[in-house]
Amino acid sequence: GNYAVRPVLHLNLSSSDLWEKAGKINSEGEVVLPSNTSSPSPTVSPTTPPLTPTASPSVTPTGNPTMKPTSEPNKQPEDDSNKNKVVVGTTLKDVSGAVYKVSTENTVAYQKPAKKSVVKVVIPPTVTTNGTTFIVSSVSKNAFAGCTKLKSVTIGKNVTSIGDKAFYNCKSLQKITIPAKVTKIGKQAYANCKKMKLITIKSSKLTAKSVGSKAFKGIYKKPTVKVPKKKKKVYKKMLIAKGVPKKVKIK
């Protein structure tokens, strides 16, 4: 939204002792004496109520008129700075109908898709609401649990955490990519994804402690897992401990 302050000047002309008519004024702010002194009264526009001057128009005011305060004090403008501020814990929706939950002042968690029958999902890096942009930093617990028709999911690059059972029992999901910033994968996050043949892990920050138990239990019997080169040996041991079948092919 666009906001502005419009100043207002209140003039009290209800009493003749509060003002003094100056007559005709030139661009320099000087009083111009009328050429015909026999007719000192200036012509007043028909739409303007006549004013009664306290002195002849030919007299120059000796000072600025004193303005007395009106009976009502001026109201201060309302502070709109917090009007559109989103409170932590609030839920939001994007154009697709997906639901997010505000985690901090500038981050949200992807909570759930618009419907369980979703086939394809893109979790964006950021979402914007009421002029505020939030970073999508996590996928909530049970976010896609039971979305049995889900075949494709793209996880945004800013996600650092995938919650417990986030993709539990997504039986049609065949491949996933875990972004580079992910440091935590919850318990049974991808458990029972029976058709999951390909897992691409771009993150080098995962450990046995940060990956929950049975995170990959019940996936395809002979999956292929792509990992960072330096992590092949460590990740193979860790992934098998977290449910990946022993016949896994690590690349």
Side-chain angles (χ1 to χ4, degrees):
N2 297 319
Y3 303 94
V5 175
R6 179 166 58 190
V8 178
L9 178 63
H10 295 278
L11 301 178
N12 185 355
L13 302 178
S14 61
S15 179
S16 62
D17 62 353
L18 298 180
W19 54 273
E20 185 174 289
K21 190 168 182 66
K24 187 175 181 181
I25 306 295
N26 63 19
S27 61
E28 302 298 326
E30 299 171 341
V31 175
V32 178
L33 297 177
S35 57
N36 184 3
T37 57
S38 62
S39 301
S41 299
T43 302
V44 181
S45 172
T47 60
T48 304
L51 302 176
T52 306
T54 58
S56 171
S58 61
V59 179
T60 304
T62 57
N64 294 328
T66 302
M67 304 301 294
K68 292 182 180 180
T70 59
S71 58
E72 294 184 4
N74 292 334
K75 293 182 180 180
Q76 296 295 325
E78 294 182 5
D79 184 6
D80 291 337
S81 60
N82 292 322
K83 186 170 287 188
N84 293 326
K85 189 175 182 180
V86 181
V87 180
V88 172
T90 303
T91 55
L92 313 170
K93 286 187 179 182
D94 64 13
V95 290
S96 71
V99 180
Y100 301 80
K101 189 173 183 178
V102 179
S103 307
T104 68
E105 289 184 356
N106 58 2
T107 64
V108 293
Y110 186 102
Q111 199 164 33
K112 61 181 180 179
K115 51 187 178 180
K116 285 284 187 180
S117 59
V118 65
V119 175
K120 182 178 181 180
V121 168
V122 175
I123 300 175
T126 60
V127 290
T128 301
T129 180
N130 292 336
T132 302
T133 299
F134 293 93
I135 295 171
V136 183
S137 63
S138 62
V139 180
S140 295
K141 178 180 179 180
N142 298 318
F144 296 93
C147 292
T148 56
K149 295 182 179 181
L150 181 63
K151 292 183 178 180
S152 172
V153 58
T154 301
I155 301 176
K157 64 181 181 179
N158 291 324
V159 170
T160 61
S161 175
I162 298 172
D164 296 349
K165 293 188 174 182
F167 295 91
Y168 180 79
N169 207 32
C170 291
K171 296 179 179 180
S172 299
L173 191 59
Q174 296 184 20
K175 62 180 180 178
I176 58 163
T177 298
I178 297 173
K181 292 183 180 180
V182 173
T183 59
K184 183 180 179 181
I185 298 176
K187 297 176 182 179
Q188 296 181 285
Y190 294 97
N192 209 32
C193 294
K194 296 180 179 181
K195 292 185 179 181
M196 189 178 290
K197 297 180 179 180
L198 177 62
I199 301 172
T200 301
I201 301 176
K202 294 184 177 182
S203 173
S204 299
K205 302 174 182 179
L206 297 174
T207 66
K209 290 184 179 180
S210 67
V211 178
S213 63
K214 301 179 181 180
F216 300 94
K217 184 73 173 179
I219 65 171
Y220 186 69
K221 293 180 179 179
K222 295 180 181 180
T224 297
V225 182
K226 297 180 180 180
V227 301
K229 289 182 180 180
K230 295 180 180 180
K231 293 288 183 176
K232 275 189 178 182
K233 187 176 180 180
V234 176
Y235 273 16
K236 182 177 182 178
K237 182 179 179 180
M238 182 264 290
L239 290 170
I240 290 175
K242 302 301 178 180
V244 173
K246 293 182 179 180
K247 293 182 180 182
V248 61
K249 185 177 182 178
I250 302 290
K251 288 186 176 182

